[in-house]
């Protein structure tokens, strides 16, 4: 941390499970800048815990009992509850210096009125290259825990997700937007990306056979996610949106590969949902 600067009045919670390749960069990007940096680990079998402790983070263990709260909501309820604001950072994410500066400006007066949460853009890396054009996701990563919560959806029995909430946002009465990104730079091989999205597609296909739960999820997705939820021909629309409309072609081979991979992910969901009902 730069000499003379006070720490941000925010707890950083980093949910992990087997993030040994990524956790050091995640912790180093926030340590010294925030009042607390806590790694919430789900019994990792690699060196995640050892590396996190060596880097200076506090580590606590999370054990899912199959019900609510799931892991992110558990963080809101249990991680450094003396601090109202909490930043959830994935183990393969790190804060950009520009975002740190923006947070310092935003919280220069801790008593000033603020929205209940902030949506933050995600700087996405795929196959070793930073995507500049085709990826446009914002994550509601920074919340005032006293005014936000993750919904308790009806998908506890769904395959593919488990202990962590699915692809939806915490509920907040008011939301602000930050300009600068969290960098999602996964150092795992690209095969890990396909393995994760194979599991995610199981969950998405399950939702297709449980419309009441699907609607619950749709209502708490981002605006972009809600619109895409209703789009027909999702594999084609996904590729056209990322590669053409959002000019992913300017990212070269990585832009093409990512747009194609996401289109394949949408195709997986459709194929799995048509094959048979997922119980």
């Amino acid at each position: 941390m730069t000499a003379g600067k006070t720490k941000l009045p925010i707890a950083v919670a980093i949910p992990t499970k087997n993030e040994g390749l990524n956790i050091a960069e995640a912790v180093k990007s926030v340590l010294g800048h925030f009042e607390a940096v806590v790694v919430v680990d789900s019994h990792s079998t690699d060196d995640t815990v050892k590396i996190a402790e060596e880097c200076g983070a506090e580590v606590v263990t999370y054990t899912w009992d199959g019900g609510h709260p799931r892991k992110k909501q558990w963080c809101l309820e249990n991680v450094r509850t003396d601090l109202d604001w909490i930043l959830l950072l994935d183990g393969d994410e790190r804060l950009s210096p520009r975002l740190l500066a923006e947070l310092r400006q935003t919280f220069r007066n801790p008593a000033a009125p603020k929205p209940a949460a902030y949506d933050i853009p995600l700087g996405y890396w795929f196959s070793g290259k930073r995507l500049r054009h085709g990826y446009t996701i914002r994550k509601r990563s920074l919340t005032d825990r006293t005014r936000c919560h993750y919904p308790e959806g009806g998908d506890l029995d769904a395959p593919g997700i488990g202990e962590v909430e699915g692809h939806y946002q915490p509920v907040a009465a008011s939301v602000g937007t930050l300009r600068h990104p969290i960098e999602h730079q996964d150092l795992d091989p690209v095969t890990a990306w396909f393995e994760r999205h194979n599991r995610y597609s199981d969950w998405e296909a399950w939702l297709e056979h449980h419309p009441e739960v699907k609607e619950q999820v749709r209502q708490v997705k981002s605006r972009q996610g809600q619109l895409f939820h209703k789009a027909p021909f999702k594999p084609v629309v996904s590729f056209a949106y990322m590669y053409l409309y959002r000019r992913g072609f300017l990212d070269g081979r990585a832009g093409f590969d990512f747009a194609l991979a996401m289109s394949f992910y949408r195709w997986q969901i459709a194929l799995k949902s048509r094959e048979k009902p997922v119980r």
Side-chain angles (χ1 to χ4, degrees), residues 126 235 238-240 242-243 248 254-264:
F126 188 74
S238 173
F239 184 87
M242 290 185 173
Y243 193 66
F256 174 79
D257 288 342
F258 181 69
L260 191 62
M262 286 302 297
S263 179
F264 176 71

Side-chain angles (χ1 to χ4, degrees), residues 7-128:
K7 293 181 180 180
L8 286 158
I10 299 169
V12 178
I14 309 177
T16 58
K17 184 171 184 179
N18 295 333
E19 288 285 1
L21 289 179
N22 294 298
I23 190 60
E25 294 301 320
V27 171
K28 289 176 183 177
S29 75
V30 293
L31 198 68
H33 298 282
F34 296 84
E35 283 291 344
V37 176
V38 182
V39 170
V40 182
D41 188 73
S42 298
H43 304 277
S44 289
T45 56
D46 65 1
D47 291 335
T48 298
V49 170
K50 178 175 180 290
I51 294 169
E53 290 176 337
E54 289 176 348
C55 288
E58 178 186 351
V59 178
V60 298
T61 300
Y62 169 78
T63 303
W64 188 44
D65 64 4
H68 295 295
R70 280 174 157 158
K71 197 171 187 180
K72 291 181 180 180
Q73 179 62 30
W74 187 92
C75 290
L76 297 190
E77 295 176 5
N78 293 277
V79 173
R80 283 298 301 266
T81 53
D82 56 311
L83 298 165
D84 288 345
W85 285 92
I86 183 167
L87 174 68
L88 286 171
L89 191 69
D90 287 351
D92 54 6
E93 296 176 343
R94 65 283 315 263
L95 264 62
S96 65
R98 290 181 299 167
L99 178 56
L100 278 171
E102 186 176 9
L103 287 171
R104 289 196 176 280
Q105 180 68 15
T106 302
F107 284 84
R108 68 188 183 280
N109 180 2
K114 295 178 179 62
Y118 287 95
D119 288 349
I120 305 175
L122 205 63
Y124 205 85
W125 296 66
F126 188 74
S127 192

Side-chain angles (χ1 to χ4, degrees), residues 149-170:
H149 70 277
Y150 282 87
E152 294 187 357
D155 62 340
L156 285 174
D157 295 328
I161 294 295
E163 66 178 25
V164 180
E165 288 84 351
H167 294 159
Y168 46 80
Q169 307 272 39

